[in-house]
Amino acid sequence: MNTPELGDAMASLQCLVEDAGIIVPFTGAGISTECGIPDFRSPGGLWTKNRPIPFEEFLGSQEARNESWRRRFAMGDEFGGAKPGRGHRALASLYRAGKVPAVVTQNIDNLHQASGIAPEHVVELHGNTTYALCLDCSARYELGWVRQRMDDANGCAPDCPACGGYIKTATVSFGQAMPDAAMRRAQDLTLSCDLFLAIGSSLQVWPAAGFPLMAKRNGARLVIINREPTEFDDVADLVARADIGTVLEPFIGR
């Protein structure tokens, strides 16, 4: 593990980026905190305020579906105006420069797409909270439609008009299966890169947390940028325990 001072870490990262042919960024909640979106696990994070609603509970209870949607709209009212931060914009610059073929993310906030990365090049392991899907027929619904239906029904979450299935944000809940296509694509990207950037992730959520180690074992350089230590720091080529936006800001506009 190489954990230099901030200036040295940024200089080392610059060299690694310049030398790399294919860079795969893997992002977690830490890249979005400067955008005003709190993470989940830290003190004051979203999970310290509300117990997550497991998928089976969502399926089994109208009250749970109502509460899940109530929380989603409350969160949207508080954080819905978030814009891409310096980290997002830096990765978008590397994407436009041809260094980054795609971004793998645990985030559900759509900020990588908003930064200018094409949606088809954002691999969302935990889905996307900016729209909804029917769990049975996969029909897409916009959040405004869901909210209007709930307002008209005194807070009762609507079912799918097409098939009667339950409508849920297009995210992966506790107990819900990970998306096979996204996981396969993330693995392919991980095995194709020579530089893997783990950014703003606690690397505690499996199986997604296994990708940095997979990249390292496949011969890629591994960089971890995160304020707190992770269990993979000891195997990384470079660790920057610093503000993500500050570390990545030099790459904006490259």
Side-chain angles (χ1 to χ4, degrees):
M1 176 181 62
N2 179 14
T3 312
E5 296 297 322
L6 178 58
D8 292 335
M10 294 172 66
S12 296
L13 179 60
Q14 177 72 45
C15 292
L16 289 170
V17 168
E18 289 177 354
D19 291 343
I22 299 176
I23 303 170
V24 171
F26 173 86
T27 64
I31 198 172
S32 295
T33 54
E34 80 166 11
C35 309
I37 300 176
D39 65 16
F40 292 88
R41 291 174 178 77
S42 298
L46 296 177
W47 287 347
T48 66
K49 299 176 181 178
N50 288 301
R51 177 186 66 85
I53 297 175
F55 187 54
E56 287 301 319
E57 188 175 333
F58 182 93
L59 294 178
S61 166
Q62 180 69 53
E63 289 74 20
R65 293 192 290 278
N66 297 347
E67 174 63 11
S68 177
W69 277 107
R70 184 198 67 77
R71 293 183 188 180
R72 171 61 188 86
F73 292 127
M75 184 177 70
D77 290 342
E78 189 170 354
F79 311 122
K83 304 295 182 185
R86 292 173 293 169
H88 300 96
R89 300 199 304 274
L91 296 183
S93 292
L94 293 174
Y95 167 77
R96 287 190 294 270
K99 285 277 192 178
V100 170
V103 172
V104 180
T105 187
Q106 296 173 292
N107 296 341
I108 59 176
D109 52 32
N110 209 59
L111 290 180
H112 286 301
Q113 293 91 324
S115 74
I117 298 175
E120 62 268 24
H121 295 149
V122 180
V123 182
E124 295 174 313
L125 301 181
H126 296 157
N128 190 305
T129 192
T130 63
Y131 63 95
L133 295 173
C134 171
L135 293 174
D136 287 346
C137 72
S138 298
R140 174 170 171 151
Y141 293 94
E142 302 308 316
L143 301 189
W145 180 90
V146 177
R147 189 166 201 168
Q148 184 61 56
R149 288 297 184 98
M150 288 189 68
D151 288 345
D152 293 344
N154 295 317
C156 185
D159 295 334
C160 175
C163 75
Y166 299 142
I167 297 173
K168 179 180 175 294
T169 56
T171 55
V172 178
S173 299
F174 280 101
Q176 188 175 2
M178 295 289 285
D180 287 339
M183 290 296 290
R184 287 195 301 270
R185 190 169 175 209
Q187 177 173 310
D188 290 344
L189 286 163
T190 298
L191 295 175
S192 74
C193 73
D194 52 9
L195 178 59
F196 191 98
L197 306 178
I199 303 168
S201 174
S202 64
L203 302 180
Q204 295 178 8
V205 180
W206 291 81
F211 288 121
L213 189 58
M214 181 187 296
K216 179 65 177 175
R217 288 175 172 171
N218 195 52
R221 296 290 189 92
L222 173 60
V223 175
I224 296 176
I225 308 170
N226 198 56
R227 280 190 175 275
E228 303 298 326
T230 78
E231 64 178 283
F232 294 149
D233 286 0
D234 287 342
V235 301
D237 296 279
L238 176 66
V239 175
R241 290 185 190 152
D243 177 70
I244 291 167
T246 300
V247 174
L248 294 179
E249 188 170 21
F251 297 104
I252 297 175
R254 294 289 182 91

